[in-house]
Amino acid sequence: MNQRTMLVVAAGLTAFILIIAGALVGQWSQSSAQLLTTTLTPDVIADPTLVSEFQQREAAYQTAIAEANQQIEQANQQLTPPSNLETAPQTMPQSETVATTVPMTTAPTAEEAAAIALNYRGGGTVRKVELEEERGLLVYEVKFIDGGEVYVDANTGQVVYAKLSKEERP
């Protein structure tokens, strides 16, 4: 036989072996996947008490998930800020002196936070009010047109931080 014929026969045998090996691997992976699927379904369990226990646990699990999702939804609704937190500029005369915090029985609104910040500073013009989370605390960030900022706790109404404007700094 010449070399060319030997090369063709060798290529043919190699292709045949690769096809057989591929078929075996495919058959093995398909049977493994089928085995896993059948072992994880409850209808394969022979004991009726085990099937019943499985179904009860599954129902309790689904109920617990539904309750947890409902609690999360309720919490999200309570935490969702009003859609429009920006307020119109508010001004207060510099001559008025008022307390820096307002006793709150409920969580303050954005407008109340602006009033608290104005009281704290002793006046000014509010540019914007935003509800934010700072260092794990939910606060209203009240920004003034002169660059000052006052952070008001969104739960208690207390001022937790104030950044003075350039004019107010000594």
Side-chain angles (χ1 to χ4, degrees):
M1 281 190 171
N2 67 20
Q3 249 182 345
R4 190 173 200 183
T5 307
M6 294 290 283
L7 186 60
V8 170
V9 170
L13 284 174
T14 303
F16 178 74
I17 291 172
L18 288 175
I19 290 170
I20 297 294
L24 289 174
V25 168
Q27 189 69 14
W28 177 77
S29 65
Q30 186 178 18
S31 65
S32 296
Q34 189 176 21
L35 179 64
L36 284 175
T37 304
T38 57
T39 57
L40 295 178
T41 56
D43 55 4
V44 178
I45 301 172
D47 189 1
T49 57
L50 290 177
V51 172
S52 174
E53 184 178 332
F54 174 82
Q55 290 171 340
Q56 289 174 351
R57 286 185 180 180
E58 181 66 20
Y61 175 72
Q62 293 299 329
T63 302
I65 287 176
E67 289 173 0
N69 285 336
Q70 186 177 18
Q71 290 173 351
I72 289 170
E73 183 62 34
Q74 289 173 349
N76 283 339
Q77 288 175 354
Q78 291 174 352
L79 293 176
T80 303
S83 61
N84 184 6
L85 288 180
E86 290 192 27
T87 59
Q90 299 178 10
T91 59
M92 179 181 282
Q94 293 283 355
S95 60
E96 290 186 28
T97 54
V98 286
T100 58
T101 60
V102 177
M104 303 298 294
T105 56
T106 61
T109 64
E111 291 79 18
E112 291 169 335
I116 292 168
L118 283 166
N119 290 340
Y120 182 82
R121 285 190 41 160
T125 302
V126 174
R127 179 173 54 92
K128 185 191 256 186
V129 178
E130 296 177 318
L131 186 63
E132 296 183 349
E133 184 177 337
E134 293 289 334
R135 300 180 188 222
L137 184 66
L138 195 59
V139 296
Y140 285 105
E141 178 184 23
V142 182
K143 295 181 178 183
F144 291 84
I145 60 171
D146 62 5
E149 297 176 358
V150 176
Y151 289 74
V152 178
D153 187 313
N155 294 313
T156 66
Q158 294 182 337
V159 174
V160 294
Y161 174 78
K163 174 184 163 190
L164 300 176
S165 66
K166 291 180 181 177
E167 297 99 31
E168 296 176 310
R169 294 181 188 153

